[in-house]
Amino acid sequence: MSDGALRTPGGRHGTVAAGESGWAAPARLVGDGLPVPCLDGVDRPYAALDSAASTGAMTAVADRVARFLPWYSSVHRGAGYLSQLATAGYEHARREILGFAGRPDGGADIAILCRNTTEAINHLAYRLAVEPGDVVVTTAVEHHANLLPWGRVATRHVVACEADGTFSADAVVAALDGRPRPRLLAITGASNVTGWMPPLVPIVAAARERGVPVLVDAAQLAPHRPLPAEPDFLAFSGHKMYAPFGAGALVGPRAAFAAGEPFLAGGNAVDLVTLDDVIWKAPPDREEAGSPNVVGVLAFATAAAELRRIGFDAVARHDLALARRLRTGLAAIDGVRLLGPAPEAETLPIATFVVEGVPYALVAARLSAEHGVGVRHGCFCAHPYLARLLGLGAADLRRMAADVRRGDHSAFPGAVRASCGISATRADVDRLLAGVAAIAAGPPEAPYVLDRRTGDWWPAGFARPAAPAPG
């Protein structure tokens, strides 16, 4: 069988043997290969191709959590043995995450531990004390998490993207040279829609030359490539890097948080409170009010350590092989339009596409119900970017807004996204390609029902999953 041929995996989903494909998945995740029901009555091993949204847990992460839970306790100030152990583990995890971000322990930078990238960016938007007249340069490629916080507090200068979803370093530099001088450049490290990676090295260098601090939204980049050491601030999440336990980080200079009030006010952030005054702790403690997610932070740090142990060279080789097969395979299917850069461009293993004449939500529903393939559909929390990729105009956007205000999402524009994580295999990608080819070739054999409120489709008479999950 030629390398470009489509095939369906036989047997249990798992790591591809090197002799079968020439490369192997670098790691296994908890839940790999779980059977899921399909319309034809066959339980197929689940092909999890939605890692750009959230990933499963590494086995090392799940093991670390299981070992820690009997010893769980509150951190900081507890005299008991369990509290002392939990505190030591929590602070060790902070150092691990700082190292993962390329920042030395004891240096000028700190890691503020929070829930996720969205919280980290909102945290920074508050702590920088940005005002409405201040300019924050960002781009049309951004996730909402790196657009909406800045729109609430500042004047955004948004760098436009081309029809293929990319922009040049020169376009960013032109925005940095605008007046008034920007307070911040907030830019993604990798698109969650197309997997495209902006040229960060010249962009960050240009910002530094102009005295403009840089925040990189590294949520999508962190599980795939080493984090850049040059930006002033980094924000990233555990749930995208195989630690789905609710922790994330904001990394940046200690000096940026040394004065002023923290984003959240409460216990653990203070040295002294009276009814008339408060003395805040030094960072990072002052930035982490309340009881922290100790389990999530330990999971997050374990995933970071495991990615470093595996090595990003191995991760990148796996990524590039999957990305090439995924993107060129989709582009070769009649009736399929691949969004973003050209199929042969170097991207993360993410592909967003539409099938001519088939609603995107129905494509996703059929991939699940008929093929056991899990993908994402919609606008991927990047509405302006997807509108550009789809070529939508002002009239389309007005109609979308009117429909949404009526509570009708049935005609909302969108696309389908397939994304591969560290345990995805060539067999997973091939099963997706075979499923998309079948969907593009003709209608389903069984009827599907549209929920106009949500815009989602579901096969008529097919049982929906019910809580609690099987176990």
Side-chain angles (χ1 to χ4, degrees):
M1 180 176 290
S2 69
D3 186 62
L6 302 182
R7 60 186 178 85
T8 303
R12 183 175 176 83
H13 163 83
T15 301
V16 178
E20 175 192 350
S21 67
W23 47 269
R28 295 279 294 170
L29 302 182
V30 175
D32 278 352
L34 282 174
V36 295
C38 293
L39 271 176
D40 59 4
V42 176
D43 286 356
R44 289 178 171 81
Y46 187 64
L49 297 182
D50 191 20
S51 65
S54 279
T55 57
M58 288 178 169
T59 54
V61 170
D63 291 346
R64 177 70 176 101
V65 169
R67 291 196 307 271
F68 173 72
L69 282 177
W71 301 89
Y72 172 80
S73 183
S74 61
V75 298
H76 304 136
R77 301 182 311 282
Y81 184 84
L82 264 64
S83 182
Q84 293 287 307
L85 185 148
T87 298
Y90 185 83
E91 292 304 329
H92 174 79
R94 188 194 305 278
R95 293 190 293 274
E96 183 66 50
I97 291 163
L98 198 61
F100 181 78
R103 316 299 171 99
D105 182 35
D109 293 313
I110 59 172
I112 297 166
L113 303 173
C114 52
R115 291 187 304 155
N116 48 42
T117 305
T118 299
E119 183 173 292
I121 296 174
N122 276 273
H123 194 129
L124 184 63
Y126 177 86
R127 289 299 272 123
L128 289 182
V130 179
E131 298 180 351
D134 293 329
V135 171
V136 172
V137 173
T138 186
T139 83
V141 176
E142 307 303 316
H143 188 282
H144 294 164
N146 206 23
L147 280 177
L148 297 178
W150 306 115
R152 292 206 304 188
V153 298
T155 299
R156 289 177 305 197
H157 183 148
V158 179
V159 176
C161 66
E162 302 297 330
D164 68 351
T166 69
F167 54 77
S168 66
D170 288 343
V172 180
V173 171
L176 293 173
D177 284 335
R179 292 290 179 268
R181 190 178 76 177
R183 278 287 308 275
L184 181 76
L185 168 63
I187 187 171
T188 187
S191 165
N192 72 306
V193 179
T194 62
W196 176 67
M197 293 170 284
L200 286 181
V201 171
I203 288 172
V204 174
R208 281 185 169 274
E209 290 172 2
R210 291 157 176 78
V212 178
V214 180
L215 159 72
V216 169
D217 172 357
Q220 208 58 236
L221 187 67
H224 296 281
R225 298 290 189 275
L227 294 180
E230 295 79 14
D232 301 86
F233 302 97
L234 292 169
F236 52 107
S237 296
H239 77 96
K240 292 188 188 295
M241 43 188 286
Y242 314 104
F245 292 86
L250 171 62
V251 172
R254 184 186 306 271
F257 307 96
E261 296 190 355
F263 182 49
L264 298 175
N268 192 53
V270 297
D271 278 329
L272 177 68
V273 174
T274 71
L275 295 180
D276 302 310
D277 196 12
V278 57
I279 300 175
W280 302 104
K281 285 185 176 179
D285 289 343
R286 79 161 60 188
E287 306 299 327
E288 296 178 10
S291 295
N293 178 5
V294 183
V295 172
V297 167
L298 263 63
F300 187 20
T302 302
E306 189 68 2
L307 282 168
R308 294 171 83 182
R309 184 195 68 78
I310 292 167
F312 278 107
D313 286 346
V315 174
R317 285 194 299 272
H318 176 250
D319 284 348
L320 292 171
L322 285 178
R324 187 175 303 114
R325 191 170 188 86
L326 175 65
R327 296 175 61 82
T328 58
L330 285 168
I333 299 172
D334 287 342
V336 171
R337 175 187 167 200
L338 181 70
L339 304 180
E344 64 276 8
E346 182 177 330
T347 70
L348 300 184
I350 297 173
T352 296
F353 62 95
V354 293
V355 178
E356 184 180 351
V358 186
Y360 62 90
L362 180 56
V363 174
R366 289 189 61 186
L367 284 170
S368 175
E370 299 169 27
H371 302 275
V373 176
V375 296
R376 181 78 26 169
H377 68 277
C379 294
F380 321 111
C381 296
H383 290 179
Y385 188 40
L386 196 66
R388 176 63 170 137
L389 292 169
L390 291 172
L392 302 181
D396 299 305
L397 298 177
R398 287 194 296 270
R399 179 190 56 76
M400 290 166 56
D403 287 348
V404 169
R405 290 190 176 99
R406 291 197 305 271
D408 185 352
H409 289 75
S410 61
F412 199 87
V416 181
R417 181 186 69 193
S419 52
C420 303
I422 201 168
S423 74
T425 67
R426 187 173 78 169
D428 294 329
V429 173
D430 287 349
R431 182 139 55 106
L432 169 86
L433 296 176
V436 173
I439 292 167
E445 294 183 5
Y448 283 71
V449 178
L450 171 64
D451 183 336
R452 301 190 70 85
R453 182 181 58 85
T454 65
D456 291 331
W457 295 77
W458 189 259
F462 192 54
R464 289 179 180 270

